[in-house]
């Protein structure tokens, strides 16, 4: 489904991704853990070309993301072609990114027709709040609207960038419940999160990153209960 090969990304003199390679199978749930500044969110943003890679490439279903190969070289796609690709890649941000002047239904309908938008609001448990504006919704409800909007294009993969980090603790559970439901339904997901319990419960594979590289990866039992690297053990000792 997703192939990330030798991806490098720098911001000025700061190298954030240093040759990251990763494959995600169709229907797999991959949770990415790591300290702040490890490159997790940047990696996620390169998958849908919100950040351009400096070297390496990314494909989904064998199709290059953000580029086409011509004459043995990569050429960046035009913006309209990139936007078309992004319909296959749902993205849920930390801070919801809803349009404040649109209702919940209208926010989701930005990515689908009204009938489909209602179905996706129902799926995240907010069918009864279709007419509410973001300011009338809790943080957890706003994030669930954002998830519905990401699902409305019926993407091949959904990316979650710390989807609960902006929420009050008592609202985290309702968003994680939606993610659990998606995981059970076979949705291909890459989730950056600090919710270790959630990772243990739903991840098929956990990837631990630090300083722009993948330090180790494996099943939740392997990475969380028996990590192979000192850096992973040090990180987990602070968050478990």
């Amino acid at each position: 489904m997703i192939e990330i090969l030798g991806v490098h990304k720098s911001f000025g003199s700061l190298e954030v991704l240093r040759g990251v390679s990763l494959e995600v199978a169709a229907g797999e749930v991959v949770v990415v853990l790591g300290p702040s500044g490890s490159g997790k969110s940047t990696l996620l943003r390169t998958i849908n070309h919100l950040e351009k890679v400096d070297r390496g490439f990314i494909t989904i279903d064998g199709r290059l993301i953000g580029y086409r190969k011509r004459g043995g070289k990569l050429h960046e796609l035009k913006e309209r072609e990139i936007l078309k690709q992004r319909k296959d890649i749902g993205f849920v941000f930390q801070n919801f990114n809803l349009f404040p002047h649109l209702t919940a239904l209208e926010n989701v309908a930005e990515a689908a027709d009204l009938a489909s938008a209602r179905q996706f609001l129902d799926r995240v448990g907010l069918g009864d709040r279709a007419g509410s504006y973001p300011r009338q919704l809790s943080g957890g409800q706003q994030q669930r609207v954002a998830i519905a909007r990401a699902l409305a294009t019926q993407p091949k993969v959904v990316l979650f960038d710390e989807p609960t980090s902006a929420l009050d603790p008592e609202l985290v559970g309702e968003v994680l419940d939606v993610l659990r439901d998606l995981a059970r339904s076979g949705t291909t997901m890459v989730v950056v999160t600090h919710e270790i319990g959630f990772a243990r419960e739903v991840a098929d594979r956990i990837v631990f990153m630090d300083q722009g590289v993948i330090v180790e990866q494996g099943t939740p039992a392997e990475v969380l209960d028996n990590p192979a690297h000192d850096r992973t053990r040090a990180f987990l000792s602070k968050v478990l």
Side-chain angles (χ1 to χ4, degrees), residues 3-195:
E3 182 182 13
I4 301 168
L5 186 62
V7 165
H8 290 254
K9 176 64 182 179
S10 296
F11 297 100
S13 61
L14 178 63
E15 192 174 20
V16 179
L17 298 177
R18 301 189 290 131
V20 174
S21 295
L22 179 68
E23 292 185 4
V24 180
E28 190 176 17
V29 179
V30 173
V31 172
V32 184
L33 302 177
S36 296
S38 60
K40 309 182 301 296
S41 294
T42 300
L43 178 63
L44 215 60
R45 292 170 69 87
T46 62
I47 295 175
N48 74 341
H49 205 64
L50 282 173
E51 297 289 354
K52 302 175 186 179
V53 301
D54 298 328
R55 277 188 287 153
F57 65 84
I58 297 168
T59 67
I60 293 182
D61 278 352
R63 184 181 181 189
L64 279 169
I65 298 300
Y67 299 91
R68 67 163 53 89
K69 186 172 285 189
R70 188 190 308 133
K73 295 183 178 181
L74 294 181
H75 300 269
E76 190 173 12
L77 297 176
K78 295 180 179 178
E79 185 64 22
R80 66 175 181 273
E81 296 173 299
I82 294 171
L83 291 173
K84 188 175 181 181
Q85 284 190 335
R86 285 183 185 146
K87 290 184 178 180
D88 288 335
I89 312 167
F91 201 111
V92 178
F93 298 87
Q94 296 180 35
N95 294 312
F96 326 138
N97 284 16
L98 300 179
F99 294 108
H101 63 289
L102 299 180
T103 65
L105 181 64
E106 290 167 341
N107 265 282
V108 179
E110 287 285 302
D113 58 72
L114 282 175
S116 296
R118 290 187 184 279
Q119 291 176 358
F120 285 107
L121 275 180
D122 285 338
R123 184 171 180 179
V124 299
L126 288 173
D128 61 334
R129 302 304 301 270
S132 299
Y133 290 91
R135 66 179 181 275
Q136 298 170 317
L137 301 172
S138 70
Q141 290 170 332
Q142 290 183 61
Q143 190 62 294
R144 284 190 280 155
V145 172
I147 293 171
R149 183 178 59 187
L151 296 176
T153 61
Q154 301 186 56
K156 294 178 179 178
V157 58
V158 186
L159 312 175
F160 297 86
D161 187 8
E162 300 193 25
T164 60
S165 66
L167 301 179
D168 293 332
E170 65 268 23
L171 301 177
V172 168
E174 65 190 63
V175 173
L176 294 182
D177 284 344
V178 172
L179 269 62
R180 290 186 185 98
D181 178 65
L182 292 176
R184 286 192 292 265
S185 73
T187 303
T188 307
M189 299 164 58
V190 183
V191 187
V192 170
T193 184
H194 291 295
E195 298 289 340

Side-chain angles (χ1 to χ4, degrees), residues 217-230:
Q217 57 182 298
T219 65
E222 289 169 341
V223 176
L224 298 180
D225 298 330
N226 192 29
H229 291 264
D230 290 341

